Amino acid sequence: MWPFPKIIAHRGGGTLAPENTLAAMRCGFEHGFRAVEFDVMLAADQVPVLMHDPVFGRTVAAGGSVPESTSAQLVTMDAGAWFDPRYAGEPVPTFLQIIDYCNANDIWMNVEIKPAPGFETETGRAAAQLLRQHLPKGGRMPLFSSFSADALRAAKDVAPEIPRGFLSSAVPDDLTAIMQDLGAIALHTNYKHLTREQAQAVKAQGFGLFCYTVNEPELARELLSWGVDAFCTDRIDLIGPDFS
Ligand code: G3P
Ligand code: MG
């Protein structure tokens, strides 16, 4: 069961723009994508923002961390210069800014809840509270995903109507129990650990199956031939939104 887009731009614009920024969303859009994945983390003042790493250093040239910083501080931080001087000054966006951009441009969202360690429940709750207040008009649901079962449980408590996918780098042995517990409709998994047999077994159980992060067209074709429903890609230049 996968009533969502098939090809999704990873972190907004894949390798073509600084991840998890508004510039990345614009880049994905310019490449024809109307479906994006991005990572949501909680700032110290409980405002969700887009960020992959809890500790600064890779994309933001600063000391400290997301859970120690307020959203007011985060939105002044440069999340673009690391990628290319052209993007210098591109800020850390709030989740709300990105929801607004996606809704205004009819872009489907796979919202990965990416809690800093120790903030799983708070992050799931805050992301769900915000998203449920800003669902796209027209009834098409976004999709939450997370490696954190606690975050997904919190999202389910707050916004049971927003579907959930469980992220796991490999297919877990107790998949059925986990999916039931979380009320999850899809498994999101690393294609590197997936076999054709496992893919077929997941599909036979009626779950959606999403792979990350698929950057070669030939590999993408093979995964789709196994019954994989969807994947995200960093190579939005090689694998377009209508890829099949
Ligand atoms: O949601 C798929 C993928 O983004 C999960 O891994 O580390 O790229 O967020 P990561
Ligand atoms: Mg992600």
Side-chain angles (χ1 to χ4, degrees), residues 10 37 39 112:
H10 189 224
E37 184 269 2
D39 305 299
E112 183 186 343

Side-chain angles (χ1 to χ4, degrees), residues 86 116 151 177 195 197:
R86 260 177 329 126
T195 65
E197 290 68 33

Side-chain angles (χ1 to χ4, degrees), residues 10-11 20 37-39 52 110-112 114 145-147 167 188-189 210-213 232 234:
H10 189 224
R11 304 184 191 176
N20 289 318
E37 184 269 2
F38 53 81
D39 305 299
H52 185 276
N110 171 200
V111 179
E112 183 186 343
K114 188 75 108 183
S145 60
S146 189
F147 289 102
L167 263 161
H188 295 217
T189 196
F210 171 106
C211 283
Y212 64 90
T213 300
C232 61
D234 280 328

Side-chain angles (χ1 to χ4, degrees), residues 14 30 81 89 107 176 207 224:
E30 281 160 13
I107 298 169
T176 315
F207 300 127
L224 294 173

Side-chain angles (χ1 to χ4, degrees), residues 76-161:
T76 67
M77 291 182 181
D78 187 328
W82 71 277
F83 183 84
D84 190 291
R86 260 177 329 126
Y87 290 103
E90 180 66 34
V92 175
T94 66
F95 181 28
L96 182 55
Q97 286 173 316
I98 297 301
I99 295 173
D100 285 345
Y101 177 80
C102 289
N103 286 346
N105 291 285
D106 203 18
I107 298 169
W108 179 81
M109 294 175 278
N110 171 200
V111 179
E112 183 186 343
I113 307 170
K114 188 75 108 183
F119 297 91
E120 289 79 7
T121 298
E122 293 90 325
T123 310
R125 198 184 293 139
Q129 272 164 356
L130 193 65
L131 188 54
R132 80 184 305 238
Q133 290 163 2
H134 298 273
L135 285 172
K137 308 240 180 307
R140 190 165 68 144
M141 275 290 176
L143 176 68
F144 277 128
S145 60
S146 189
F147 289 102
S148 166
D150 286 342
L152 288 174
R153 254 181 236 114
K156 180 185 170 203
D157 286 347
V158 170
E161 71 278 20

